[in-house]
Amino acid sequence: MPPNTTATTGDTATTGAAPAKSGRKKGRKARLIVLVLVLAVIGGIAFGAYWSISTVRASFPQTKGSITLQGLSGPVDVKRDGNGIPQIYASSDEDLFMAQGFVQAQDRFYEMDVRRHMTAGRLSEMFGKSQVKNDEFLRTLGWDRIAGQEYDTKLSAATKKYLQAYAKGVNAYLQGKDGKDISLEYAALGFTNDYKPEKWTPVDSISWLKAMAWDLRGNMQDEIDRALMTSRLGPQQIQDLYPEYPYSRNKPIVQEGQYDELTHSFQQSGASGASQNTGTTSTSGTTGGATGGSAGSTGTTGSSTSTTSGSSLTSQLAGLYNVLDDVPTAVGVNGQGIGSNSWVVSGKYTITKKPLLANDPHLSASLPSVWYQMGLHCRSVSTTCQYDVTGYTFAGMPGVIIGHNANIAWGMTNSGVDVTDLYLEKVSANGYLYDGKIRPFKTREETIKVAGGASKKIVVRQTKDGMPLLSDRDDELVQVGKRATVNAAAPDRGDGYGIALRWTALDPGTSMDAVFALDKAADWSDFRQAAALFDVPSQNLVYADTDNHIGYTLPGRIPTRSSADDGSIPAPGWDSKYRWTGFIKQKELPYEYNPKRGYIVTANQAVVDKDKYPYTLTTDWGYGARSQRITDLIESKIKDGGKISTDDMRQMQLDNSSEIAKLLVPKLLKINLDDKNVRDAQKLLEGWDYTQESDSAAAAYFNAVWRNILKLAFGNKLPKELRVKGQCLWVDKIDSTGPVDDDTKVRECGERDADQAQPDGGDRWFEVVRTLMEKPDSDWWKTPKSGTRPPANNMDQLFRRAMIDARWELTAKLGKDIETWSWGRLHRLFLKNQTLGTDGPKALQYVLNRGPWKLSGGEATVNATGWNAAGGYNVVWVPSMRMVVNLADFDKSRWINLTGASGHAFSAHYTDQTSLWAKGELLPWSFSAKAVDDSTSDTLVLKP
C-alpha cells in the first residue's frame, strides 16, 4: 500500500505581487509620474530626477516619418495598426528581413538580448553571480555552439542571407544608442552594471530555436519523476500513476492517415534502415536497468540486470531536477504542463465553404508575450522577393513561425514525442565505461564572465556520441553516485555514476530552413517538404489551403530504440544496447490529408494508435481530454447538416467545460455530509453545467475539492522531491534497503516549486482517478486522520474528507459566505517581466509587472488556463495567443496576443491586448494591402 503519511503543514499556494493594471494611453502620464516617484525611492532624489518622463519615453520606437538605414537597397514601409502591430512592405527579401530585424529591435530588443544571453549561457554578464549556475548548465548543453555548427554546415545559402539581413537590421537599430535609449530595463541595470549590448549575429537567432526545443523536449520530466517515485512507491503503484492512454475513448490525431512508402511487409516486419521499436510502455520502474525501488522494484535488462538503490538514484535525480528547474524558461514551464490546441475544418462543414483553422499554443505566461505579431509583404512577389506572409514569430528570429500566406495556413502543437534520454554513466579518472572498455571524454573549457565579479572557468565533458555530462554541473550529483549500491551484474561503483543527456537538438539541424520554406509554401507538397526540414522541436503541424484541402503531418528527428529500452526511465550508459539505433525516416512518419471525417484535431493527444504504427513515438502522451472535447464540439456543430463559422471556432477556443467534473460531481452529490456549512458548499454543485467561468462559485468549490482529492489520495504519498516546498509530512523512515519496518516516522518537507510539483491535476490525473474509481477500496483512497478531520478507508470516505477540507480552505481564502465565492478570485493571472520583474527590487517589479486578471478556464480544458493543483490556483500557463484563419477571406481572420506588441513597460502597447484576451475576444487580422491600409494608424518609411 502507499506509504502512511500525516500532513503537518498546509500547502503553499503560488503567490504574486499585485502590480498596476495594464497600460492604456489615457493613464500613461500618471503611470510615468508614478515611475519617477518609485525610482526616487529606489535610488534617491538624484536618481529620480535623472530618470525623467522624457528619459523613459526616449526608448519608445519611432513609428512615423522616415529613418535612413544603411544597407537597404530600396525604401521599406512599416505600417502599424492601432495596436502597434507592424506590417512591413519591401521589394527584396533582404530588405524585408532587414526591416523585420530593425522593427523587432525597436519594440523588443531587451527581450531579444536576454534571450540570446540565456541561449549562450551568458546571463551572468547581465545579472551577475546569481546566474552563474544557470550559465554553467547552459554552457554544458552548448546551444549556441550547436547553432553555430548549424549556420556553418547545415543551413542553405538563402537562409544564411536572410539571417545576415535580419542581424543587419537589428544592428542598425542599435547604432549610436546607449542602454537607456533602448529600454527602461537597461537604464535600471546601468546603476549596478556597466553592461552594454553587443551587435546581433545570425547565430543569436538560430540559438533561440534550441531554447524553444528545450522547453518542448518531451518526456524528460516524466522520466525523472518516475525514477524519483521508486523511493516511496513500488512498480504497480507507479504504474497506477501512469495509466495507459485511453485509445478507445480519446481518439488519436491520425485516424485515416498514411505513412509514405510503407508496404505490407513494412507493417509486418519493420522498415529497412531504421530499427523497429515495438516496446510497450514501462511505467513501473522495471525497464532500463537504471532504477530500482525501495518498495520492491528492480531493474531488468534482458540478459543482464543492474539496480541502484531507490535512495541513491532519488538523490541523484533530485539534484538533476534542481538544476533543470533553475534554467530560465524560454516558452514553457520547464517542460511541464505544456500543451496546445490546433484544429482545422474542411470547407464542406464551414459557412464559408473553405477551411477554417484555429491554433492556441499553451505556454508560460510572460511579459512581454513570447509571441510577436507581424506581416512580411513583398510589394510584388517574384524571384527577388518571395514572401507575403503574416502571423506570429519570436522577437529575435526572422520569418513567421505560425500563420498564413496567400495560399496556405498552418498551426502547431507540441507532439510530445520522446527525443531525450538520460543515461547513468560509470565515470572514472580516465573516462567512462562503455561495453567493458574505458573511453575518454571529449572536453572543452568555458569561461563565464560575471558582472561585478571574477570570471569562472568550467570544463565540459561529453561522451563520444556527444552526450554532455550534466552531473558535472551539480555538487550533489557528483557526490551521490558514491553512495550508489548495485548488484554484481552492474559495474563497480568506484567514484559513482554520472548522468548524461542524449537529445536530438544537440545535433546540428535545419529548422531555420524550415521556417522560410513554410512561409512561402504554396500547396500541400511544398508544405510537406518544408515540414521535413523542421527537425527539432517535433511539432504537430496542421494545414489548410485556399483550394479547400486540409492536412496534418508529424515532422521531426525522432529516435528509434532497441527492444531493451523504451525511453521511459534512465538507462545504463555502459551498455551499448541502450543507445539509440537510428531515426525514423521522414517518409515513414504519420500524416493525414483530406480525411473523410472533414476535420483534424491536435491537442497533444496520441499521434497514432500504438497498434497501427510500428514505432514507439513516446510512452507519455497527453491523455486526450482537450482533443476529445474539441472533437465533440465539432461533431455537435456539424451534425444534421450544421455549418461552422469563424466565431464558432473562437467560441470553441473558449470552452471551459471540465471533463473531470463531469465524472466526479454526480458521485460527490451522493456523499452524506454532517456539517451544514459543507452541505451548503455541496449544493453549489447541484445543477452546475461543469463550465469554469470566472464568476462561478461552483467551479471554485469543485476545483478545491479536486485539489484536495489529489492531495489526500496521492500528493501526501509521493516522495519529498515531487511535493511542494514547505509542505511537511511525517512519513515512514527509509534506509538504503527500503522502508524501515519498525513504524519509525521522520518529518520530510517538499522540495519542488509550487508550479512544478505533483500531482499537478492535468489529464493524466483525470485518467488515474477514473481508473481507480473502479477500485473503491484501493489503498490509494486511504488517508489517516489529521486534527479534527476524519480518516478515510475507501473512496467515498476520502471524497467526503476532501469536500470538508475544500470548504474550509475556501473559507480561509474567500470568506465564509459562499455567495461571495468565485473561480476568478482564486484563478488569477499575474504577468511578470521575466528578469527584473521576477528578481529585481520590489519597487521595480511593481513598475514592470501587470495584473492580476481573474480568468475563466482551467487545467486540461480547451480554454487551458492551467494551474497546478499541488501548488495552488493561480494561473501557471495560458493560451499564449489565439488565432482563427479564414481561408475564404484572409481579411476576416482573427487573432490576439497575450500581451501587446511592445516590450516597453509604459508603451500604450505593453499589455493593450491582455484584457481582450482574458475576455476571449479576437482582433481583426488584416492581410490584403487594402485592409492593411484601412487599419493603419502610423507609417514609418525606412530609406536606404
Side-chain angles (χ1 to χ4, degrees):
M1 67 179 282
N4 189 19
T5 57
T6 303
T8 60
T9 67
D11 287 353
T12 303
T14 308
T15 60
K21 284 285 185 180
S22 61
R24 298 272 184 178
K25 279 186 177 179
K26 62 184 180 182
R28 182 169 61 185
K29 181 176 180 181
R31 282 191 298 275
L32 288 169
I33 294 171
V34 170
L35 170 62
V36 174
L37 294 175
V38 167
L39 295 174
V41 171
I42 297 171
I45 299 301
F47 183 16
Y50 166 76
W51 208 332
S52 64
I53 292 175
S54 61
T55 302
V56 172
R57 287 178 173 167
S59 63
F60 290 4
Q62 179 182 339
T63 59
K64 296 180 179 180
S66 64
I67 299 175
T68 299
L69 295 187
Q70 187 174 358
L72 287 175
S73 63
V76 176
D77 296 326
V78 181
K79 301 179 179 182
R80 293 179 183 262
D81 66 12
N83 292 97
I85 300 170
Q87 305 279 345
I88 300 176
Y89 289 82
S91 298
S92 73
D93 290 337
E94 291 92 327
D95 284 355
L96 189 65
F97 295 117
M98 182 178 175
Q100 183 182 17
F102 180 85
V103 170
Q104 287 191 341
Q106 280 187 304
D107 284 335
R108 300 269 193 102
F109 182 76
Y110 177 77
E111 175 193 7
M112 294 163 58
D113 200 17
V114 171
R115 285 179 174 179
R116 66 165 166 177
H117 278 78
M118 180 185 72
T119 58
R122 295 174 55 198
L123 288 167
S124 300
E125 295 178 21
M126 294 184 75
F127 305 109
K129 63 182 181 180
S130 66
Q131 298 301 313
V132 169
K133 283 290 186 183
N134 285 334
D135 285 347
E136 289 180 5
F137 186 76
L138 292 164
R139 295 287 184 96
T140 300
L141 290 175
W143 293 344
D144 64 327
R145 293 180 66 256
I146 305 301
Q149 293 173 25
E150 289 184 0
Y151 183 79
D152 291 338
T153 65
K154 289 289 186 178
L155 299 182
S156 69
T159 293
K160 291 181 181 181
K161 182 172 61 176
Y162 301 154
L163 288 165
Q164 291 164 1
Y166 181 90
K168 188 188 299 183
V170 176
N171 294 328
Y173 168 77
L174 292 177
Q175 188 173 358
K177 288 184 172 64
D178 294 327
K180 63 182 175 58
D181 301 322
I182 299 173
S183 79
L184 183 156
E185 290 93 335
Y186 287 121
L189 280 176
F191 285 90
T192 59
N193 187 354
D194 60 358
Y195 170 80
K196 290 180 174 55
E198 299 174 352
K199 287 187 175 181
W200 194 264
T201 74
V203 173
D204 293 335
S205 295
I206 302 169
S207 295
W208 180 242
L209 284 170
K210 299 300 177 186
M212 185 174 77
W214 176 253
D215 279 354
L216 303 174
R217 62 190 179 271
N219 76 334
M220 184 191 293
Q221 194 57 59
D222 288 312
E223 197 171 333
I224 292 171
D225 285 357
R226 272 190 290 265
L228 290 172
M229 287 178 184
T230 61
S231 69
R232 287 279 167 198
L233 305 175
Q236 182 57 53
Q237 291 158 348
I238 296 174
Q239 191 166 0
D240 288 345
L241 304 186
Y242 287 88
E244 287 287 324
Y245 183 90
Y247 289 97
S248 61
R249 187 173 67 254
N250 297 340
K251 300 300 183 184
I253 297 170
V254 175
Q255 300 170 42
E256 307 169 34
Q258 307 170 54
Y259 323 112
D260 276 354
E261 302 181 19
L262 300 196
T263 64
H264 179 72
S265 61
F266 173 91
Q267 294 174 352
Q268 293 296 317
S269 61
S272 63
S275 297
Q276 187 176 14
N277 178 5
T278 58
T280 58
T281 304
S282 173
T283 57
S284 62
T286 59
T287 297
T291 67
S294 59
S297 62
T298 60
T300 60
T301 62
S303 61
S304 65
T305 303
S306 63
T307 34
T308 64
S309 73
S311 60
S312 65
L313 186 63
T314 292
S315 298
Q316 205 159 14
L317 290 171
L320 174 59
Y321 176 82
N322 291 336
V323 175
L324 299 179
D325 191 36
D326 285 339
V327 175
T329 56
V331 296
V333 191
N334 280 338
Q336 296 195 74
I338 296 174
S340 297
N341 302 322
S342 191
W343 67 94
V344 60
V345 180
S346 169
K348 69 179 180 179
Y349 291 130
T350 69
I351 290 174
T352 66
K353 298 183 180 180
K354 290 288 181 73
L356 294 170
L357 185 150
N359 195 189
D360 56 291
H362 307 154
L363 304 171
S364 289
S366 61
L367 181 60
S369 167
V370 68
W371 298 108
Y372 185 92
Q373 298 155 285
M374 72 187 320
L376 301 171
H377 308 278
C378 290
R379 293 190 180 96
S380 177
V381 175
S382 66
T383 55
T384 58
C385 197
Q386 305 171 73
Y387 296 90
D388 188 17
V389 62
T390 181
Y392 297 84
T393 187
F394 301 122
M397 269 185 57
V400 167
I401 305 298
I402 295 173
H404 72 83
N405 59 31
N407 301 293
I408 74 166
W410 67 96
M412 294 185 186
T413 63
N414 191 25
S415 70
V417 299
D418 188 359
V419 295
T420 60
D421 277 339
L422 294 172
Y423 288 90
L424 291 184
E425 299 291 348
K426 175 63 184 70
V427 180
S428 69
N430 299 317
Y432 63 100
L433 184 67
Y434 188 74
D435 282 349
K437 297 180 180 179
I438 297 296
R439 297 192 178 188
F441 284 106
K442 300 177 185 177
T443 63
R444 68 178 187 273
E445 187 176 84
E446 298 273 354
T447 300
I448 298 171
K449 297 179 181 179
V450 182
S455 297
K456 182 175 181 180
K457 294 184 183 295
I458 64 170
V459 174
V460 177
R461 296 191 288 179
Q462 290 180 294
T463 64
K464 185 178 180 181
D465 47 359
M467 294 196 301
L469 199 65
L470 302 185
S471 48
D472 281 350
R473 302 284 76 86
D474 186 85
D475 292 340
E476 184 180 9
L477 292 178
V478 172
Q479 296 301 319
V480 293
K482 297 178 181 179
R483 302 193 300 271
T485 56
V486 294
N487 67 12
D492 182 76
R493 64 185 180 183
D495 287 332
Y497 297 118
I499 296 178
L501 171 68
R502 183 74 170 101
W503 177 33
T504 53
L506 296 182
D507 300 326
T510 55
S511 292
M512 200 70 240
D513 281 340
V515 172
F516 297 111
L518 284 171
D519 286 355
K520 62 181 181 181
D523 55 26
W524 174 245
S525 177
D526 287 350
F527 178 77
R528 287 265 288 161
Q529 291 177 42
L533 299 170
F534 207 95
D535 42 23
V536 291
S538 176
Q539 298 287 285
N540 297 311
L541 293 179
V542 294
Y543 166 94
D545 64 35
T546 55
D547 290 331
N548 215 359
H549 301 295
I550 64 172
Y552 161 85
T553 192
L554 175 70
R557 198 158 185 257
I558 303 171
T560 56
R561 299 171 175 86
S562 71
S563 59
D565 178 29
D566 67 0
S568 65
I569 57 175
W574 51 81
D575 191 336
S576 61
K577 68 184 177 185
Y578 292 96
R579 288 301 202 261
W580 292 353
T581 58
F583 298 92
I584 303 174
K585 295 179 180 179
Q586 288 293 318
K587 65 185 180 182
E588 298 163 358
L589 289 171
Y591 74 91
E592 198 165 63
Y593 186 58
N594 292 332
K596 293 179 181 178
R597 66 184 180 279
Y599 59 86
I600 301 170
V601 176
T602 81
N604 316 113
Q605 78 271 38
V607 168
V608 64
D609 194 309
K610 65 178 182 178
D611 296 328
K612 298 179 180 179
Y613 189 66
Y615 296 100
T616 298
L617 297 172
T618 186
T619 60
D620 291 297
W621 302 114
Y623 280 76
R626 282 181 288 109
S627 62
Q628 194 57 44
R629 175 62 179 171
I630 295 166
T631 297
D632 292 345
L633 290 170
I634 292 172
E635 289 284 355
S636 69
K637 290 295 294 185
I638 64 178
K639 69 179 180 181
D640 301 324
K643 301 291 185 180
I644 294 175
S645 69
T646 301
D647 196 61
D648 289 331
M649 299 284 275
R650 179 187 71 89
Q651 292 288 351
M652 291 178 193
Q653 289 178 325
L654 303 179
D655 182 77
N656 293 317
S657 177
S658 170
E659 296 305 298
I660 191 63
K662 292 176 185 177
L663 177 68
L664 289 179
V665 166
K667 187 71 175 176
L668 297 176
L669 288 173
K670 295 178 182 178
I671 302 293
N672 292 321
L673 297 163
D674 299 328
D675 190 315
K676 177 183 181 301
N677 291 302
V678 183
R679 288 201 309 274
D680 287 344
Q682 182 187 40
K683 289 177 183 178
L684 291 172
L685 304 179
E686 295 177 357
W688 180 42
D689 63 358
Y690 313 122
T691 61
Q692 301 170 95
E693 298 295 334
S694 63
D695 61 358
S696 170
Y701 181 60
F702 171 77
N703 283 317
V705 173
W706 171 237
R707 179 174 186 246
N708 280 278
I709 287 173
L710 293 172
K711 174 185 171 183
L712 294 169
F714 311 106
N716 289 349
K717 297 160 188 173
L718 296 176
K720 64 182 184 299
E721 293 83 7
L722 275 68
R723 298 202 311 270
V724 178
K725 288 178 183 176
Q727 183 193 93
C728 299
L729 307 169
W730 289 98
V731 299
D732 295 331
K733 184 178 180 180
I734 289 179
D735 62 19
S736 60
T737 62
V740 177
D741 294 329
D742 61 1
D743 293 327
T744 302
K745 299 285 186 182
V746 294
R747 191 170 185 265
E748 285 187 349
C749 296
E751 298 178 353
R752 193 166 282 190
D753 287 343
D755 62 359
Q756 303 281 307
Q758 292 293 337
D760 60 23
D763 63 356
R764 172 165 69 89
W765 294 99
F766 292 8
E767 201 63 26
V768 168
V769 169
R770 182 189 299 274
T771 302
L772 288 173
M773 286 179 71
E774 299 175 1
K775 304 173 183 178
D777 295 318
S778 167
D779 287 342
W780 287 112
W781 300 123
K782 297 178 181 179
T783 191
K785 177 180 178 181
S786 177
T788 61
R789 303 288 198 269
N793 293 303
N794 56 44
M795 182 180 69
D796 285 351
Q797 290 177 5
L798 186 135
F799 284 3
R800 178 175 179 268
R801 166 77 177 274
M803 295 175 77
I804 296 169
D805 288 357
R807 177 23 159 147
W808 298 115
E809 180 188 0
L810 293 197
T811 297
K813 293 180 183 296
L814 303 179
K816 188 173 182 179
D817 183 1
I818 63 175
E819 297 297 324
T820 68
W821 291 2
S822 70
W823 177 224
R825 288 181 63 195
L826 290 171
H827 193 53
R828 300 177 299 166
L829 171 66
F830 294 88
L831 292 176
K832 296 185 178 182
N833 177 287
Q834 294 301 289
T835 56
L836 301 180
T838 302
D839 295 321
K842 292 296 183 183
L844 190 56
Q845 292 185 39
Y846 181 89
V847 168
L848 295 172
N849 297 341
R850 299 290 183 269
W853 283 266
K854 298 176 181 179
L855 297 188
S856 302
E859 181 63 25
T861 63
V862 181
N863 185 17
T865 55
W867 56 287
N868 186 299
Y873 302 98
N874 278 345
V875 177
V876 178
W877 53 85
V878 294
S880 55
M881 61 81 158
R882 298 187 184 101
M883 73 176 197
V884 180
V885 183
N886 184 326
L887 276 293
D889 185 347
F890 287 122
D891 290 332
K892 292 181 179 177
S893 301
R894 297 291 183 266
W895 62 352
I896 198 78
N897 205 351
L898 172 63
T899 60
S902 180
H904 298 285
F906 290 93
S907 165
H909 306 306
Y910 191 46
T911 55
D912 60 333
Q913 297 186 51
T914 309
S915 293
L916 297 173
W917 171 92
K919 296 174 185 176
E921 298 180 21
L922 300 177
L923 294 172
W925 184 356
S926 301
F927 179 67
S928 69
K930 182 181 184 304
V932 170
D933 283 342
D934 289 345
S935 64
T936 294
S937 295
D938 296 348
T939 299
L940 174 69
V941 179
L942 304 178
K943 296 181 177 179

